[in-house]
Amino acid sequence: MRSGLPRAAAATAPAALPPHLPGLDPAWSRLVATAAVGPEHAAGGPSPATRTWHLLDNAGQLAELRVEPVGTVLCVHGNPTWSYLWRSVLTAATETARAGGPAWRVVAVDQLDMGYSERSGVPRGLAQRVADLGALTDELGLTGPVVTLGHDWGGVVSLGWAVDHPELLAGVVVCNTAVHQPADAPIPAPLRLALRPSVLGRATVLTPGFLETTLAIAHPPLPAPVRDAYRSPYRGADRRGGIGGFVADIPVDDRHPSAVELDRIAEGVRALGVPALVLWGPRDPVFLERYLDDLATRMPRADVHRFEGAGHLLPEDVDVAGAVLAWLGDRLPDGQEAAGAGGGLPPDADTDADADADASRPVWAALDELADADDVALVEMAPGGGRPPRSVSWRLLSRRVREIAAGLADAGVQRGDRVSLLVTPGADLTAVLYACVRIGAVVVVADAGLGVRGLTRAVRGARPDWLVGALPGLTAARALGWPGRRIATPSVPPAARVALGVEHTLGELARRGAARLRAGVALPAAPVPTDTAAVLFTSGSTGPAKGVVYTHAQLAAVRDALATQYGVGVGTGLVAGFAPFALLGPALGARSVTPDMDVTAPRTLTARAVAAAAAAAAAAAGSPLREIAVVAAQTGSGAATTAISAEGTGGTEGTGRTEPSGEGVVVFLSPAALANVVATADALTAEDHAALGRVRLFLSAGAPVPEPLLAEAARLMPAASAHTPYGMTEGLLMTDIDLAGIRAAAVGPAHTPARSQLSPVSQGSERQGLRSRGRGTGAGAGTGGGVCVGRPAAGVAVRIAPLDDLGAAAGPLGTTPEVTGEIVLAAPHGKDHYDRLWLTDLAARRQVSTDRRWHRTGDVGHLDADGRLWVEGRLPHVVATASGVVTPVGPEQRIESVPEVDRAAVVGVGPAGTQQVVAVVETTPAARRPHLADPALAERVRATVGVPVAAVLVVPRLPTDIRHNSKIDRTRVARWATGVLAGGRMVRP
């Protein structure tokens, strides 16, 4: 036995070359003998003169190509894999060099006792393995620049080599590894099990249990030939000693022999000072996300990308090779750290527009400026629990924000801490949000419309330090294991407090904060404009929801963009049926009214509820709080008001009053909410109509808005200007158009983009504010030009990256009219970056200049001769046919003009470049089951669509996103159509 392992673990065997295996080029394999070094050599007694390694090396292939490597990628596997793990990296690096790109030599080692390297028969602790790797690189004569790439415990060994070779090091890349085990956290459960004396030898050496378990947790499952390839060097207990030795060498506490070396490496990593990339699979049962957090703390310069859905075997689950080469090309294009990102767009007159935002005025400035005002700041029309409408003055809101801010700081919330807000829009959410922002905490906001699974991914991915919620949110957090210390918005009974892990309530924090403020304790220093302020999650309609990071300066710019575009400010009543705009009300100095609705179900908003909210917003203009109750009662929404919270800290309101600097009521509704408002308009009373007549502006964005729907809503609010801004979570207001502009665009001169038939982002898009034509009467009807979303908002620059024949946005950015391509935007109020999604960030700024924060939207469209932007679809949904590309929404709009068609999706089937167009439709009345369209319907669709259609399929319902219930999932539809047309079952998509 050695280290608690069976005798078979001490077996010896020489190194060997592997057999022919899938994906493994025999030309890469070589055996290298090195001197015995490190603890093994210094221990005294007989020791071998050499140790022989098997490794993979593409140096010979690069020599055949007559290219000089710009550097070496040194790949180190973990346990129980071997160098086969990195075969895709060798392939990709060699092919990149063959294509004329940077030539990187790739050396992927089999650690001693692993893979096809020598079986030494002696324990090899962490210090020995780091020394072994150093001896190998000495023997290879590596002179740098070297980038290390490690996975699992190979990540630790590779980082140990990096710490010891700073003169050669150019960068480090790690995948699912750890360099520190927190003293207050147990090691992961699978390792605790494997380390049990009764389990260790049997699971790791005597049987292939540990190996098979590792191979079984790939996502998706590994093909049988690949599983066999990983098994090939470990057939027999006498070949698996290294697997058991690696597990036995895990430092479970400070007494473990390898703990000192692990601590040395962990501290050395802090001083590396080179570009770093951390690639992570969050479904890993061993390397949990706390280890990712630790690495990010030790390497604050590191680029991080989490591959949602991937797990421990990350190089098998996702394209790690592509990620590594993309990162090398961006950060180390010639083996040396790049001074800046690549170009592609020359500076022009509008490149300094990002500097226009007033970053010196923080988002909470209006709360400070209105702190002595008794005018209404916000109204909740349905605060819950059957209570009447609740109104809050600026004085009370400002005071409560300061008290909660002080209480949070006293409870230990620090600048930079992430605080996940699981609270519905209203007074509590507003107060805690602005309190967090004021002390420099980072608010994390994910829409409940993501569903339980999506919300779980979002919250876990954001890794909040604190979680603020009402009982439903806290219960979900407890049941689903969401991270973060708990703060409850309501009072919580002692038993529930223990069960849910609640440490504080908002009322308690407010009282603690009030006491500190009375004692003269100042709030923490305000955050600076470049500090991170918020992580806002996208809707997830085009894939897993992405965390979008905004700094304080960028949030202030969002506020300023809305104020400039729509004249919203002090004195404006803002009825917000869309959560993001409700939260921006206090930043704008506008009085916010949350209508009676379920914010997770926009279709619950009725016309009467909007009228009641509009009446309250109008009545609140310069009026005492009590007047709102009277108006609310008249419109059927209650008869009394309350204070901000039953746990309020008391105090007498003064008589200060502000003079409104703006006027009128602004209504912001999502398209789904707007549709139900129109549908329930028959219930409106004369008083309701009068209240809606006081609305001066209404906005609808977040999903497609048919022109007829916008027109119907305009008739309900006859004095209002109807607008639909185009934007996205990454930039809330990029262009704007009103109803008159939509109608003017619809009848304007026909124009045909160079490479598209038609289409807006429409239903398949995650972008906000797009109008589908709707029964042939909307923007762009019959022109082939998509949907007009208007002109850029102030400070926004728009460029188009033309599409090639395969539908890729490969052309240079420009503003030439009538050229279809990917829409690229820049604005001072655009996002800073995606949260731990470096590859997504890279794609968003590909081939753009660094003069501004340009963002590739993933939408396709074109500019017309008048400078208006027309949106034609999503880039992944472009159909690349043999005769050119087809963007989907234009054909969809034309199909929807067929009387019996309700909705349509146009998708491509087949390989890019030869794809066939397929139309999938919902009919009126709805079909009971999916089927091929009857010949008459198919003929009418083909006669209308304007492009050749290979097949017309009918479904009962097209799949849509959760949040908006209107964005068609074209990717899912295309996958379904491909299967059906290949002979698969005709099931629902």
Side-chain angles (χ1 to χ4, degrees):
M1 299 283 287
R2 60 166 187 156
S3 302
L5 296 175
R7 183 171 301 173
T12 62
L17 296 176
H20 288 281
L21 297 170
L24 193 68
D25 189 335
W28 297 334
S29 283
R30 55 186 292 205
L31 301 180
V32 177
T34 67
V37 295
E40 175 185 41
H41 181 69
S47 65
T50 62
R51 291 295 187 192
T52 304
W53 299 63
H54 167 255
L55 57 84
L56 307 177
D57 188 352
N58 71 340
Q61 293 177 330
L62 296 181
E64 291 175 1
L65 294 172
R66 299 182 180 180
V67 295
E68 188 68 25
V70 298
T72 300
V73 180
L74 178 61
C75 305
V76 187
H77 68 85
N79 187 33
T81 58
W82 55 288
S83 59
Y84 186 74
L85 183 75
W86 306 116
R87 65 194 183 282
S88 63
V89 180
L90 283 104
T91 298
T94 305
E95 291 307 310
T96 298
R98 193 185 310 278
W104 284 91
R105 180 186 181 186
V106 179
V107 175
V109 305
D110 281 357
Q111 297 197 60
L112 293 174
D113 294 339
M114 302 293 287
Y116 284 92
S117 284
E118 178 181 342
R119 297 304 190 261
S120 67
V122 298
R124 312 197 79 78
L126 179 58
Q128 179 67 60
R129 292 197 174 279
V130 173
D132 288 341
L133 186 59
L136 175 62
T137 57
D138 288 346
E139 182 65 29
L140 293 175
L142 295 190
T143 58
V146 176
V147 175
T148 60
L149 170 56
H151 171 255
D152 187 85
W153 286 105
V156 183
V157 175
S158 69
L159 289 172
W161 185 94
V163 169
D164 292 343
H165 296 81
E167 74 284 359
L168 301 180
L169 192 67
V172 296
V173 183
V174 292
C175 310
N176 288 63
T177 190
V179 295
H180 175 67
Q181 173 61 40
D184 60 348
I187 64 171
L191 293 183
R192 291 202 305 273
L193 176 62
L195 283 165
R196 288 181 179 177
S198 60
V199 175
L200 177 60
R202 185 175 299 277
T204 62
V205 180
L206 295 179
T207 73
F210 189 85
L211 171 64
E212 294 299 330
T213 299
T214 302
L215 298 179
I217 58 174
H219 306 284
L222 297 175
V226 173
R227 291 198 304 272
D228 286 341
Y230 276 111
R231 294 170 180 140
S232 64
Y234 300 119
R235 298 191 185 279
D238 58 349
R239 299 286 300 171
R240 294 193 288 265
I243 295 177
F246 251 122
V247 175
D249 193 46
I250 297 172
V252 295
D253 54 41
D254 293 341
R255 296 169 297 175
H256 192 281
S258 287
V260 172
E261 177 68 0
L262 183 64
D263 289 343
R264 181 187 78 86
I265 294 170
E267 289 309 305
V269 164
R270 297 184 189 274
L272 287 179
V274 295
L277 174 65
V278 181
L279 302 175
W280 207 262
R283 295 179 67 180
D284 192 331
V286 175
F287 291 99
L288 308 175
E289 297 218 34
R290 65 170 177 253
Y291 300 117
L292 169 59
D293 294 340
D294 177 73
L295 287 167
T297 300
R298 294 174 189 276
M299 298 186 292
R301 293 182 60 194
D303 300 309
V304 179
H305 191 94
R306 294 173 72 256
F307 292 91
E308 196 62 62
H312 178 72
L313 282 177
L314 192 67
E316 294 292 349
D317 291 357
V318 299
D319 182 15
V320 163
V324 170
L325 289 178
W327 182 78
L328 291 173
D330 187 68
R331 298 302 195 210
L332 299 161
D334 298 312
Q336 303 296 324
E337 186 171 359
L345 180 69
D348 60 19
D350 61 14
T351 56
D352 62 352
D354 284 355
D356 292 342
D358 185 5
S360 64
R361 187 171 183 268
V363 291
W364 65 86
L367 285 166
D368 290 345
E369 294 160 1
L370 299 171
D372 295 324
D374 291 324
D375 297 337
V376 174
L378 59 88
V379 181
E380 291 179 279
M381 299 303 293
R387 292 176 294 168
R390 175 166 66 166
S391 301
V392 180
S393 70
W394 285 106
R395 181 189 298 272
L396 180 56
L397 180 60
S398 177
R399 190 186 75 203
R400 178 50 67 95
V401 167
R402 290 177 56 81
E403 289 170 349
I404 294 176
L408 288 169
D410 189 46
V413 180
Q414 300 179 3
R415 180 170 171 172
D417 278 2
R418 292 190 169 193
V419 182
S420 180
L421 303 180
L422 303 176
V423 188
T424 56
D428 289 336
L429 177 58
T430 301
V432 73
L433 183 146
Y434 282 91
C436 289
V437 170
R438 170 58 185 83
I439 64 173
V442 179
V443 296
V444 178
V445 181
D447 193 333
L450 292 174
V452 172
R453 184 177 179 184
L455 198 57
T456 297
R457 280 198 302 255
V459 174
R460 286 180 176 171
R463 297 295 298 170
D465 303 285
W466 300 82
L467 191 151
V468 180
L471 290 181
L474 295 174
T475 302
R478 183 72 171 183
L480 298 170
W482 295 347
R485 298 167 64 182
R486 311 298 202 251
I487 299 173
T489 53
S491 297
V492 182
R497 189 168 184 142
V498 172
L500 297 176
V502 172
E503 297 184 28
H504 312 282
T505 69
L506 276 189
E508 293 167 357
L509 293 178
R511 287 191 290 272
R512 287 171 63 173
R516 288 175 62 84
L517 294 174
R518 285 195 300 269
V521 179
L523 289 176
V528 299
T530 55
D531 284 347
T532 297
V535 180
L536 311 177
F537 276 85
T538 62
S539 70
S541 60
T542 57
K546 300 181 287 292
V548 179
V549 177
Y550 278 85
T551 65
H552 283 265
Q554 289 151 7
L555 281 188
V558 172
R559 171 202 63 201
D560 297 341
L562 291 170
T564 299
Q565 190 73 26
Y566 301 120
V568 180
V570 176
T572 303
L574 179 62
V575 176
F578 189 62
F581 279 77
L583 296 175
L584 283 168
L588 291 159
R591 56 187 178 279
S592 303
V593 182
T594 305
D596 182 359
M597 65 179 295
D598 179 354
V599 294
T600 66
R603 294 182 185 275
T604 59
L605 182 63
T606 66
R608 293 211 70 201
V610 174
S623 300
L625 296 180
R626 63 178 179 274
E627 294 183 14
I628 301 171
V630 177
V631 175
Q634 291 173 345
T635 53
S637 294
T641 62
T642 65
I644 187 169
S645 171
E647 297 186 64
T649 57
T652 302
E653 298 299 327
T655 58
R657 189 72 48 79
T658 59
E659 291 299 321
S661 60
E663 59 183 44
V665 176
V666 175
V667 174
F668 193 105
L669 305 175
S670 71
L674 191 65
N676 201 56
V677 167
V678 170
T680 57
D682 289 346
L684 291 172
T685 66
E687 290 82 2
D688 294 332
H689 280 291
L692 293 176
R694 289 192 287 269
V695 176
R696 70 165 174 86
L697 169 71
F698 80 84
L699 311 169
S700 188
V705 188
E707 184 272 344
L709 174 60
L710 209 60
E712 288 292 331
R715 280 189 280 275
L716 294 179
M717 293 173 269
S721 176
H723 287 250
T724 64
Y726 161 67
M728 56 218 70
T729 308
E730 295 87 343
L732 291 180
L733 171 62
M734 292 301 183
T735 70
D736 180 74
I737 192 169
D738 61 12
L739 183 56
I742 293 171
R743 288 168 171 165
V747 298
H751 56 283
T752 303
R755 289 191 176 273
S756 176
Q757 292 294 327
L758 184 89
S759 72
V761 178
S762 189
Q763 294 139 335
S765 171
E766 189 167 339
R767 313 308 171 194
Q768 298 175 358
L770 304 177
R771 293 148 296 282
S772 64
R773 181 168 57 83
R775 294 299 174 202
T777 60
T783 67
V787 169
C788 184
V789 296
R791 292 182 173 83
V796 177
V798 179
R799 300 292 184 271
I800 303 295
L803 302 181
D804 64 16
D805 290 336
L806 296 180
L813 275 62
T815 58
T816 303
E818 316 304 343
V819 173
T820 289
E822 184 179 11
I823 299 169
V824 184
L825 303 169
H829 53 282
K831 68 168 175 62
D832 191 74
H833 63 277
Y834 290 108
D835 188 40
R836 292 184 170 179
L837 291 171
W838 183 83
L839 288 169
T840 308
D841 270 324
L842 180 66
R845 59 179 172 82
R846 178 176 54 87
Q847 293 179 323
V848 299
S849 64
T850 57
D851 57 328
R852 299 185 67 178
R853 291 192 314 275
W854 291 94
H855 172 66
R856 284 181 173 265
T857 64
D859 293 340
V860 293
H862 68 276
L863 292 164
D864 66 16
D866 294 326
R868 297 174 301 191
L869 178 63
W870 295 70
V871 183
E872 302 180 45
R874 288 290 290 164
L875 193 60
H877 304 152
V878 171
V879 182
T881 72
S883 57
V885 298
V886 175
T887 51
V889 173
E892 289 170 353
Q893 291 174 325
R894 291 192 285 274
I895 292 170
E896 288 168 1
S897 69
V898 175
E900 58 264 61
V901 174
D902 186 45
R903 281 196 301 185
V906 167
V907 298
V909 171
T914 59
Q915 285 184 311
Q916 302 297 308
V917 174
V918 175
V920 183
V921 302
E922 293 177 8
T923 57
T924 304
R928 292 185 177 182
R929 57 181 178 77
H931 60 273
L932 283 170
D934 63 69
L937 175 59
E939 182 179 353
R940 285 191 290 275
V941 167
R942 289 188 170 98
T944 304
V945 71
V947 296
V949 175
V952 181
L953 303 172
V954 178
V955 296
R957 187 173 181 83
L958 288 163
T960 58
D961 66 295
I962 295 175
R963 177 185 285 182
H964 301 294
N965 193 31
S966 58
K967 301 175 185 176
I968 296 173
D969 187 345
R970 293 196 194 91
T971 301
R972 181 174 166 185
V973 173
R975 188 166 55 245
W976 171 82
T978 299
V980 166
L981 295 175
R985 292 180 59 200
M986 187 74 79
V987 296
R988 298 189 181 210

